[in-house]
Each structure stands twice: as structure tokens, then as C-alpha cells.
Amino acid sequence: METHGETELLECRLCTEDLVKLQGLFLPVGDPAEEGSLGREEGSLGREEGSLGREEFAERAWAAVGRGTPEEYGRLFDSVDVSREGRLDWTRLTTFLLLKLCEQDEQARAATVPRWRAPRSLPSPHREPVQGVVLLPNPSRYLSLSRDGVLGVWAEDLGLLRSLRLANDTIKPKDLWATAMVALPNVHKVAVAFTSKEICFYDLLSKQEFSCQYKVQGLTHTPITLHYWFNPEDPDQAALSVGDVGGKVCVMCFRTALISLFERPSSGPVEQDATTLIQWAELTEGQHSSCCYIATHSAHGHSWVRRVRFLGPLEAVVSCTWSCPGSLVLAWRETKGSPLKVTHFNTQTGISDLDYHPSLNLIATAGLNNHVYLWNPYVTSKPVGVLRGHMNSVVAVQFVLGKRQLLSFSKDKVLRLWDVSSQLCIQRVSGVFPKSQECQTLLLFREEHSRLLLSFNGQLLLLEARKEPGRRVTSHESPVTCVLYNALFRQVISSDTSSTITCWLMDTGQKVKQFTRCHGDAEISTMALDGTQTRLFTAGTDGIVKVWDFNGHCHHRLNAGRDRAAEISQVLVLKRTVLVLGWERIITVFRPAVFSKFFVQPSEWQGGVQHRDDVLCAAFRPPQTLVTGSYDGEITVWNNSTENALRKLRPDGQRGLRSKSDGAALRANQSARPDRPSAPSAPSDSSLPPAGQGGPEDCHAITKLFFLERHKGVTAAGGADLVSCGTSGLVRFWNTTHCSLVAEFVAHRRSGSIILTVDGGGRYLVTADVHGGVKVWDVQDYCLLPGDGVLRRAPRLLTSLRPHLDSVMHLETCVHGDQLFLLSTSIDCTVALSYLPGHCVGIFGQEEHWRLGRVECPLPNEVQDEEEVEEDGEVTPASPITPQGHRSADSLGPQGSALLGEEVILAEEKDHFLGLRL
């Protein structure tokens, strides 16, 4: 790669004094009063008034500033003079520098987005749904409480220390049902609510740990949500807020919390560890007024109070319910002794959760209508912000106080991170959470460790952010979902979750053009090119596929989701059809012959429903062979011309379809969608599925399919002609003619979910994992003939590298000039270019421009591959190919022409099992 001087651009190194010197170049020489005459005199010397030519600017700026080189100032001139007018004035220069500073600020903000490690499922002691997760300081510990009263005690690193069942002698253990838990850190206690209409206060410092010190009995309704606040400047002042199933909100306001929460009984001595019983009527009648008093309101009617929170700086309590109107209520006390005054926010939907940011004075609410609302407590008429992007009801929200960010989690298992200032989604995480249909979810984010703990019924899942010292190079501001190579324009096209499409020069890595908000607020999940390379198909999470030219004009809108949001995973563009897949069991088909209108509705797929679960991916081999893979691990082989299903491939080797009558019988049996069947158990040498997806069906989900370019005789003899991968880390080779599994091996041992691609000549298989690792395998002579049973030995490993810091979302091979290249995208917002097999070229958008064919340098973000390949007979590593060993198009055989002239272009979405999008 050829570099230009210092690694940081000249405009980024200029200080205020340098800018003053540059300004002087554009001012008239001499007395300012003689500006007019001097300007005319300068003009007579060939310089327009207040402007400079390229050579003049480069020489004079270099001499005036005294840093950099004339060549760098010349490149700065070219960057400003995009219209190639040949002249530069002070206004245009300062405008460019201001925009550059804004871009740097945006990049710095994007760098604060956490790069999550692969999720880790904790060994939970809970069998019932978790009702609360809290953090205890000094010593730092976590507590988790399930509905049956089982309490889990966790170390700071979230290793399980022990579990125990909380004692409550009022009811039998089998009838014990806990509803909420909250920590009282200033008094070293934990409060737990039960369906027996009690709140128990457990002392953490007693000899018998978690002994019940106080028990408040006789509440009117069952308490289901708790929140505790104390004044950091006066820890005696505290408040415990309670919400119940009767729509009532109660606040216990403590005056002497450090001494005693409640008054001690006056009659007789009390044993040290004895439980003090307190009747709710005593509190409401003021019998404990020296220690605490009660404030209540019933503004929610009879609706269950879902969340309650005491706003310390405002001395108010906010609560929410699912019922609307009146789903958000703020209550406060104007004077001591007066009843609570309440006000209703003008909400249009029910609310599941809320949180408060003290320094911003904002309340965030999780709406049942898929939106997150931001409220100013003093403005109840309308929200000050609406965060749109979720496709299902939002169930949890939490502010990241130190970064002015907000976390939100929706019912469809999608986690989003929002920048509160811009009200934009800066990260989206999906596909890594448990697949259970209905579950109760809680969030707990610990900022100092960038650690997010989530509960899914009785399961606990941990997401930890990677530490990233120094400045990172990024290609996009959001996670990159797809990348394509356009051989006609010799450019690379990439898309991200902010609905932005960027075009790059393949030869240098420079950005050519960028189109923003291509699908509005929806994310672009995948792309495809047509056979002429002049039309770009983009698919959004809004269920729409758009057809563009490269001037940014949209020619058609394909209604793939039928007016509903849809997770489109792949668009397959063929000569006579466009197939859209990802969110249902049937193939959605459009026929370009009827693309006469702007809005295009889908046609009927003649083959009907042949899969038992959602179709995730497809591959096509001319002239008419189509294969589709589904979530349950089943592969169906189709005749694309007749749209009939021919046969099925399953990892357990069950007999598939053989005739049209078989397909008709299956369609008849599947008139109503069944539950997902249990897939066969994984082979003994397969790796574990992603955390939280331990079900067998997850281990066999097919996420990528590619045909291998091989002689017809190989397929007829029983050799492999199809390769697949999914969420189990396995790569499988199939024979589509004989419906047989030929070989399988574990490509990445410590990564549950992987993706893959195959070069056009069928020699190189490329796999990638959730840790940013990429491996290149030699499959040219692999599985050419069937063996005795399924082959478990892996092909020869050529290269193992890690061009990304996070999950790899998409892989694409291409021939550019006479060389074979690999394009890869990641959740870490980068698009990387590598020689195939394996040597890194650079990251698109980096400051240093490369020149292909020169000696390569390492990627700015490249790190040592952490996975050690074990030589146990399954994987045979080989030394990487040297830079002098790059193959030409002639030495690669037919793959050069195959890639440039291929009539089918696949565009596959980022694997939604990998996770990460923004």
C-alpha cells in the first residue's frame, strides 16, 4: 500500500494559529483602507480577488504555516475544490474545515458505541421467571430473585456464589410467590414484595444472612413493582415507592433510614434476629411518623401499575400502566402533610417500563406501540422526543447516564442503543437472544464495566463490551449489513443499519458517493445487483424492496412484506424472477416482466408452502436448480422454471420429496402452521450454539447456501455440489442429486453462529464468525467422491485472520483486474478488503489510500487471531500464501470469467443470529 506522509490528514493537524496564517493569504496586501485598489492590482497579476490557484495556495500556505508539505496542501486544495473550478477562497476553505470538524465529532460519538462480545448464558439457579435483578455495592455483588422465592447471589464477575430460598413464615414455601425486589444500599437491606400482600425487608449484615428484619403486612392490594431512592447528601432521607395490582401508588418516605426504617415495638425485649411485624394500617394512620410517613394516590384507576420510580431531584413519583389514557402519571407533594397532587401525561399508548435521567431531566417510556418516548416532567401535553425503529412493543428501557444514551428492548428480542441528543438509533443488537415466544425481560446495565445483564424468564444472559483503546477506523457510522462489488463501475457498494448506501473506489478505498435515508427510519438488511449491474435492489426492515439506479433514483417499490414490517434476509435476482426471503415459510416472488408501475405487488409462488419454518436463504444454479434453507435445518431443492419442489435434504438423512404428489400431500398437511419441530441432535463434534439458544432447532438453522462450481460427473458420482452453514458453527457439504450429506466439520470452535461464501471458481471457501475472525479453506479437491459415511475431516486451512473487531455480517468475493479479492462487513462499522486467500489490504474509508498490486500493509484494526487451530485430524493448517503467490485470472481457471459474467447475483442480509445492528 502507498501512504501519504503522516497518517493524520493535514486539516486535522492545523491549530488556531495556523488558521490565522491561512486567513492572511486571502486578505489584500497592505493597508486595509486600500483594499479595493490593492485587490485590483492583485487581479492584474493574474489572481482573482480573495482567491488562490492550486499551485499558489500550496506554496504560499506551506511557507506561511511552516508544517506539512506542499503536496499535502495541494491535496487539501483538491478536497475543497470538488467542483474543479481551479480557485479557492477563504469562505470555501473554512466551510470545508467546519464540516470536517463536525465529521470528526460524529466519529468520536460513534466510537462510544459498545462493541459487545458474544453473549454468555449464566448458570441460572432459577426455574421460574426472574422478578428482579439488583446490584449491591461494598462488596460488589449481584442478586437475582425468581418468582418462587429463589435468590441467586453472584460475584462481581457474575460467577454464581450460592442460591437460597427466602424465608417467609407467613405462607408455605410451595405457595410463596415473589413479585418484585429492590436494594436499599444505604441501609444494607433488600426489600421483596409477595403476593401475600406483604413487603419483607431482609438484612444483609445480620449473622444469619438474608434474615427478615421487617415485614409490612396487610397491604390493600398485591405489590408488583418497587423502587428505592435515597438522598446521597443526607442518607437518612429515603423513599420506597410501591405500585400494586389495584392501580394504587404508595410512597414510604423515611426520615431516619440509617437509624431505623420503622419504630421499634414498645412492649417487651426483642430478639436480635427477630422479625418486626408492621401493619399497613399503622403506617397510614401515622403511628410510625417519627421514622416514616405514607403518601398515596390512585390516579391509575384499577389498572395494574407496571413500573414506579421516585424522582429525587423533583421529589416526585412517576408511574405507568398498560391502560390508556392515563398510562403515565406524575405525583408530587406541594407542602408537607398535604395529599399528593397528580398530573396525567398526554399519552396515546400503554407503557411497559420507564426510566429517569437526572441531569437531562428526562423520562423515557417504553410504549406498547413500538415507540420510545422522551418526556420533560414539566411538559405533560406532548413528548419532547419520539424514538422510532422497533418493530414490536418495547418492554424495557434504561438510561446510560454517563454517555447520554438510552437502551431499549422490544418484545421481538431486539436491543437498541439511542443517542439521546440526536434521538437517533446508533446500535441494534438482535439474533443473539433466546427464541422463546413469550417471556418476561429485565435489564440491568452497569456503566463502569459496560456490562448488560438481561433476564429471559428464568434465564440470565450477559453482554459485555470490548475495551477498545485508541482511535478506530470505521467505514460507516452504523453497523454494516451488506457489501457488493459492481464490476461495471469497478466500485464497492455497502449498506448499514442507518439506511445509508455508500459507494467506494475499489482501487483506493475512497468514498465516491453516499445516499442517506434510503428506507427512511428502517434499516437496510440486504442488497442485490441485477444482471446488468445497473440496478441495485435494497431490502429494508419495513418490508419494502426498492430498485435504484446509481444516480440515486428509485424506480420501483416492491411490497414484499405486504404492508407489514419484515426481516428480509436475502434477495435473489434471477433472469425472470426476483425472490425475497427471510420472514415466512413461503417464497415471496416478483416477476420483472410486470415491473411497469412504481408500486409492485408480489406474485404467487406456484410451489406453495414446502418448509415447516421460516425460509432464511437460497442459492441458484443455472439453468433451473434452486435450493432454499429454513430455520429448522431443512433444505428444499426446486425446479425454478416450474416452481415445483423436487426433494429435501436433512441432516438426519430422512427421505425427502421425490414427486409432485409428495409436495401436494405436504402442502395439504401444512395448511395450518405447526410448531417448530425438534431437529435431530447435533453431531458430537459440533460446537455449542449461541448463548441462550440451546434448543436443538437452533443448532440446525440454515443461514447461508452456495453451490460449488464442479463438473457434472462429480454430482452424479455422489460428490458434494452444495455447501451450507448456520448457527451451530458447522459447515456441511451436500449432494443435491442423491439427497445426501457428504461431509461436515466445525469451522469455528468458539463461535456458535457463522457465515460463509464461495468464490466463483469453487476453490476457496471463506467462513467468518461472531468474533470478527475469517478463515479461508481450500475446497477445490474436497468431497469430489463420496466416502463411507459422512466425512468429518475439514479441508485444508489456508489462512486464518481477524480483520474485524466484532461479528462479521457479510462476505463477498470478487475479481478485480487480474486478482481475486474478499470483501467483508461487520457490526464494528467497517468494510474490509483482503486478497484471497487472506492478506489484508485495508478498510474502506481509512485515511491512507491503498494502491492494489503494491505491497500490502496490515489493517489498522487487525489483531492477532485468538483461535488456536488444534491439529487433531479434523483441521490441517497450512502456511498462508505469500504476497508473491497471488493467483492471476489464468491460474485461477474459469473463476475470473465466472465472477464477471455470472447471471445470478446473491445479496444476503447480515445473519440475524449474529447479532449485531445500529
Side-chain angles (χ1 to χ4, degrees):
M1 178 191 297
E2 186 175 88
T3 60
H4 304 302
E6 299 184 47
T7 57
E8 191 174 23
L9 291 178
L10 173 66
E11 53 266 32
C12 300
R13 308 198 307 267
L14 297 176
C15 61
T16 304
E17 291 77 8
D18 299 333
L19 296 178
V20 173
K21 295 175 182 178
L22 289 176
Q23 185 183 22
L25 302 179
F26 298 93
L27 296 177
V29 180
D31 191 340
E34 302 176 2
E35 178 178 344
S37 61
L38 287 174
R40 288 188 292 273
E41 183 178 348
E42 294 282 352
S44 65
L45 295 176
R47 179 164 72 101
E48 296 180 9
E49 183 176 354
S51 66
L52 299 173
R54 187 183 191 279
E55 294 184 3
E56 184 181 10
F57 172 77
E59 293 296 334
R60 294 184 61 185
W62 175 60
V65 176
R67 71 169 69 195
T69 63
E71 290 76 14
E72 286 185 294
Y73 287 97
R75 288 194 292 272
L76 175 59
F77 184 98
D78 294 337
S79 300
V80 180
D81 186 27
V82 292
S83 58
R84 297 296 182 264
E85 297 176 5
R87 310 293 299 180
L88 180 65
D89 57 26
W90 176 244
T91 301
R92 293 174 63 192
L93 178 60
T94 53
T95 301
F96 172 80
L97 294 176
L98 285 173
L99 291 175
K100 193 70 177 179
L101 290 174
C102 292
E103 181 181 351
Q104 286 181 329
D105 181 66
E106 291 293 329
Q107 290 178 352
R109 187 177 66 183
T112 64
V113 175
R115 307 298 168 192
W116 304 106
R117 299 180 184 273
R120 178 160 62 97
S121 183
L122 303 181
S124 176
H126 305 294
R127 296 183 179 179
E128 296 288 336
V130 175
Q131 304 287 63
V133 181
V134 299
L135 172 65
L136 300 177
N138 303 321
S140 180
R141 290 178 298 169
Y142 295 89
L143 297 180
S144 60
L145 176 70
S146 56
R147 190 167 59 189
D148 55 0
V150 173
L151 185 73
V153 183
W154 309 79
E156 186 174 11
D157 61 355
L158 285 169
L160 182 62
L161 298 176
R162 63 188 178 280
S163 62
L164 57 110
R165 184 180 294 273
L166 291 180
N168 188 342
D169 52 9
T170 306
I171 54 179
K172 297 179 181 180
K174 66 176 183 178
D175 298 326
L176 187 69
W177 193 328
T179 59
M181 176 178 65
V182 69
L184 287 61
N186 63 323
V187 294
H188 306 285
K189 293 178 176 58
V190 172
V192 179
F194 296 95
T195 53
S196 55
K197 301 178 184 178
E198 297 174 324
I199 299 177
C200 296
F201 295 81
Y202 295 91
D203 190 4
L204 302 178
L205 300 181
S206 62
K207 294 181 179 179
Q208 182 182 354
E209 194 175 17
F210 299 107
S211 64
C212 184
Q213 184 177 10
Y214 300 104
K215 182 184 293 185
V216 179
Q217 297 178 319
L219 277 74
T220 308
H221 302 284
T222 299
I224 58 173
T225 178
L226 302 174
H227 179 264
Y228 183 76
W229 171 88
F230 71 93
N231 188 346
E233 298 179 358
D234 183 9
D236 271 328
Q237 306 296 318
L240 177 66
S241 305
V242 184
D244 61 32
V245 298
K248 194 172 184 178
V249 174
C250 309
V251 184
M252 300 182 192
C253 302
F254 300 104
R255 294 189 171 104
T256 59
L258 296 181
I259 301 173
S260 180
L261 295 179
F262 307 99
E263 292 186 5
R264 294 180 175 86
S266 56
S267 59
V270 179
E271 297 181 9
Q272 184 176 359
D273 293 333
T275 301
T276 301
L277 300 181
I278 300 166
Q279 297 300 319
W280 182 252
E282 298 175 9
L283 297 176
T284 57
E285 293 170 2
Q287 297 183 22
H288 295 259
S289 57
S290 62
C291 294
C292 72
Y293 62 92
I294 302 296
T296 65
H297 75 77
S298 301
H300 290 294
H302 297 288
S303 301
W304 288 24
V305 180
R306 296 294 172 177
R307 195 71 67 207
V308 63
R309 186 176 181 90
F310 189 84
L311 313 184
L314 306 181
E315 294 186 357
V317 60
V318 62
S319 54
C320 65
T321 69
W322 285 353
S323 299
C324 189
S327 57
L328 184 63
V329 171
L330 183 70
W332 70 97
R333 175 168 286 174
E334 292 183 333
T335 59
K336 289 186 178 181
S338 63
L340 289 178
K341 185 176 181 180
V342 300
T343 181
H344 292 79
F345 288 80
N346 184 23
T347 56
Q348 304 298 322
T349 182
I351 297 173
S352 299
D353 193 18
L354 59 86
D355 197 15
Y356 176 66
H357 196 301
S359 61
L360 297 178
N361 196 28
L362 285 178
I363 301 171
T365 59
L368 298 180
N369 64 345
N370 311 349
H371 299 332
V372 176
Y373 294 92
L374 300 176
W375 301 87
N376 185 320
Y378 298 107
V379 181
T380 61
S381 58
K382 62 179 181 179
V384 296
V386 182
L387 310 182
R388 297 181 173 88
H390 281 291
M391 299 299 179
N392 213 319
S393 301
V394 187
V395 297
V397 290
Q398 183 178 347
F399 278 108
V400 183
L401 301 180
K403 297 182 179 180
R404 298 194 173 191
Q405 296 173 345
L406 177 71
L407 287 164
S408 63
F409 193 82
S410 57
K411 192 175 180 180
D412 56 355
K413 314 295 189 305
V414 175
L415 177 71
R416 287 181 179 268
L417 180 65
W418 308 85
D419 179 77
V420 177
S421 301
S422 62
Q423 299 183 11
L424 295 176
C425 179
I426 57 177
Q427 190 180 55
R428 180 183 187 273
V429 182
S430 67
V432 299
F433 303 113
K435 295 293 181 180
S436 54
Q437 297 296 323
E438 295 292 337
C439 68
Q440 179 177 324
T441 303
L442 300 175
L443 293 182
L444 177 64
F445 183 72
R446 190 175 182 185
E447 294 187 41
E448 56 266 35
H449 295 289
S450 296
R451 180 182 291 163
L452 178 63
L453 190 61
L454 303 96
S455 71
F456 299 92
N457 289 336
Q459 184 178 358
L460 294 173
L461 195 71
L462 175 65
L463 283 177
E464 289 185 284
R466 293 186 174 95
K467 295 181 180 179
E468 299 178 17
R471 181 185 176 188
R472 288 196 323 106
V473 177
T474 59
S475 309
H476 285 249
E477 295 181 359
S478 303
V480 190
T481 58
C482 188
V483 63
L484 302 173
Y485 175 70
N486 190 312
L488 179 64
F489 299 116
R490 298 171 63 85
Q491 294 178 2
V492 172
I493 309 153
S494 57
S495 63
D496 64 24
T497 58
S498 295
S499 200
T500 298
I501 297 174
T502 305
C503 298
W504 311 87
L505 287 178
M506 181 75 169
D507 291 316
T508 63
Q510 290 175 281
K511 184 187 298 184
V512 179
K513 62 180 69 174
Q514 189 173 70
F515 306 103
T516 59
R517 293 183 58 81
C518 296
H519 284 256
D521 293 328
E523 304 164 7
I524 297 178
S525 57
T526 188
M527 300 187 298
L529 288 167
D530 73 342
T532 66
Q533 307 269 294
T534 60
R535 291 292 183 265
L536 177 67
F537 291 71
T538 63
T541 54
D542 53 2
I544 299 296
V545 176
K546 294 185 178 182
V547 186
W548 309 81
D549 61 27
F550 283 89
N551 291 321
H553 175 68
C554 181
H555 292 266
H556 303 286
R557 285 170 56 102
L558 314 184
N559 187 16
R562 296 175 176 85
D563 301 322
R564 295 178 301 170
E567 290 280 350
I568 300 175
S569 60
Q570 183 176 346
V571 176
L572 184 59
V573 182
L574 306 179
K575 279 187 175 181
R576 298 179 179 84
T577 56
V578 176
L579 309 182
V580 186
L581 316 165
W583 71 102
E584 57 184 3
R585 296 180 298 154
I586 196 171
I587 299 174
T588 301
V589 59
F590 296 88
R591 308 190 189 279
V594 297
F595 279 19
S596 58
K597 298 180 180 179
F598 180 73
F599 295 98
V600 183
Q601 300 298 325
S603 303
E604 180 184 359
W605 178 254
Q606 301 299 323
V609 178
Q610 295 291 344
H611 284 280
R612 296 181 175 89
D613 217 319
D614 295 340
V615 182
L616 302 180
C617 56
F620 178 77
R621 180 175 61 193
Q624 59 190 17
T625 304
L626 173 72
V627 293
T628 54
S630 62
Y631 185 88
D632 59 1
E634 187 176 71
I635 299 175
T636 300
V637 184
W638 307 77
N639 183 313
N640 188 61
S641 299
T642 62
E643 299 181 1
N644 288 331
L646 303 178
R647 47 195 172 270
K648 292 183 180 291
L649 310 176
R650 298 187 182 95
D652 58 354
Q654 295 178 10
R655 175 182 171 84
L657 286 176
R658 290 293 183 179
S659 66
K660 185 174 181 179
S661 60
D662 291 339
L666 178 59
R667 290 193 297 271
N669 292 333
Q670 292 181 341
S671 58
R673 180 174 180 171
D675 295 334
R676 284 178 175 150
S678 296
S681 57
S684 58
D685 59 348
S686 64
S687 59
L688 293 175
Q693 300 182 24
E697 68 273 18
D698 298 320
C699 297
H700 294 289
I702 305 294
T703 55
K704 301 290 179 183
L705 284 170
F706 282 93
F707 275 107
L708 299 170
E709 291 296 326
R710 290 181 170 176
H711 192 272
K712 291 183 179 180
V714 173
T715 306
D721 62 342
L722 180 71
V723 60
S724 70
C725 72
T727 57
S728 62
L730 281 173
V731 175
R732 289 190 169 106
F733 288 77
W734 307 84
N735 182 288
T736 58
T737 301
H738 301 291
C739 301
S740 61
L741 176 62
V742 181
E744 65 179 11
F745 70 95
V746 180
H748 298 258
R749 291 189 176 277
R750 292 192 293 272
S751 176
S753 186
I754 64 172
I755 61 173
L756 62 79
T757 189
V758 180
D759 75 292
R763 173 169 185 178
Y764 299 115
L765 168 70
V766 186
T767 60
D769 61 25
V770 297
H771 305 297
V774 174
K775 293 183 179 181
V776 182
W777 312 80
D778 185 355
V779 295
Q780 186 174 30
D781 300 323
Y782 187 69
C783 295
L784 295 180
L785 296 173
D788 297 331
V790 178
L791 177 65
R792 309 286 180 176
R793 178 182 57 82
R796 192 166 71 102
L797 177 63
L798 299 177
T799 307
S800 178
L801 65 154
R802 192 179 173 199
H804 300 285
L805 299 177
D806 214 322
S807 298
V808 181
M809 309 302 295
H810 189 79
L811 298 170
E812 181 89 355
T813 63
C814 64
V815 172
H816 182 79
D818 60 350
Q819 291 178 315
L820 187 60
F821 292 94
L822 173 68
L823 297 164
S824 58
T825 70
S826 171
I827 289 174
D828 65 5
C829 307
T830 60
V831 182
L833 177 67
S834 303
Y835 289 106
L836 196 60
H839 296 283
C840 301
V841 177
I843 288 180
F844 287 93
Q846 68 183 40
E847 294 176 354
E848 301 176 12
H849 300 154
W850 60 70
R851 289 191 178 182
L852 299 179
R854 302 294 182 90
V855 177
E856 316 88 281
C857 71
L859 281 171
N861 291 343
E862 186 181 2
V863 297
Q864 184 69 28
D865 183 25
E866 298 176 354
E867 182 174 355
E868 297 179 359
V869 181
E870 300 179 4
E871 299 185 34
D872 56 0
E874 294 182 358
V875 179
T876 306
S879 301
I881 304 299
T882 61
Q884 292 76 14
H886 294 140
R887 275 72 169 169
S888 65
D890 295 335
S891 64
L892 290 175
Q895 62 193 15
S897 58
L899 277 173
L900 293 175
E902 190 175 20
E903 73 172 88
V904 181
I905 300 92
L906 300 182
E908 303 183 36
E909 182 201 52
K910 61 177 182 180
D911 187 340
H912 65 272
F913 300 100
L914 291 178
L916 320 118
R917 302 184 236 167
L918 189 135

